[in-house]
Amino acid sequence: MLSYQVEGVTGTMHSQSTQTGAARAGDAVNIRPARISEVGAMLAIFAGEVEAGRMLPRTPAEMRAHIDDWLVAERNGALVGCVSLVHFNDSLAEVRSLAVTEEYRGNGLGGKLIKSALELAAARGRSRVLALTRAAPVFLKLGFEVDRVANYPEKVWRDCQMCPLREQCDEVAVIYQLDTHHNGGRQGS
């Protein structure tokens, strides 16, 4: 179970536990809320993506201030992935800063992190979840649909203005309608 607190309300939701191809039999990966003490490890997970220009940087202060919006994937005490859920308004949230360590890529862990973020969004009462991504097939497999970035001025005003690629953006906007998926954002359950 994942615990969360929103506007003074505490609750729980189901935790995702999975085995990836990189893990040996019996080595489960647990997805859970992040802790402030893990901010450095989380930054390290996506440092290479930031350096390569594939992800916008996040500051430790920003991450600590919004630690309740972060989920991490942990295996044997080590972080192997992370994702954040950014809230724009009462209905819209965004899956952001999705990253998985090199040895766990291509094994479904990113999808598990996205599903956990969808569960968090549903628990917080959001009806739509946005992502801007270069990995649209991962999101489409989970039930997201392609949309236009221009349909989300909240995102453009908040993040796109500082992006060095804003004039030649190569990311695809995808949206997930939680209110049309009747089982808490999880398909096929």
Side-chain angles (χ1 to χ4, degrees), residues 23-90:
R24 294 168 304 197
D27 285 345
V29 174
N30 184 50
I31 297 175
R32 60 167 176 76
R35 299 180 193 117
I36 288 177
S37 62
E38 297 170 323
V39 167
M42 293 160 55
L43 284 165
I45 291 172
F46 57 80
E49 298 299 309
V50 171
E51 288 174 21
R54 293 185 294 263
M55 186 180 280
L56 289 176
R58 306 291 170 219
T59 67
E62 172 190 6
M63 292 173 71
R64 283 191 297 273
H66 300 283
I67 198 68
D68 291 340
D69 297 332
W70 286 85
L71 299 171
V72 294
E74 177 185 39
R75 176 181 159 245
N76 295 333
L79 298 189
V80 295
C82 62
V83 67
S84 68
L85 186 71
V86 177
H87 302 278
F88 288 107
N89 56 47
D90 289 344

Side-chain angles (χ1 to χ4, degrees), residues 94-108:
E94 178 191 15
V95 171
R96 186 170 81 176
S97 302
L98 173 66
V100 175
T101 59
E102 188 79 32
E103 63 271 18
Y104 278 82
R105 292 181 187 165
N107 295 301

Side-chain angles (χ1 to χ4, degrees), residues 126-138:
R126 300 311 184 267
S127 59
R128 301 174 301 143
V129 179
L130 167 71
L132 291 187
T133 182
R134 292 178 183 89
V138 173

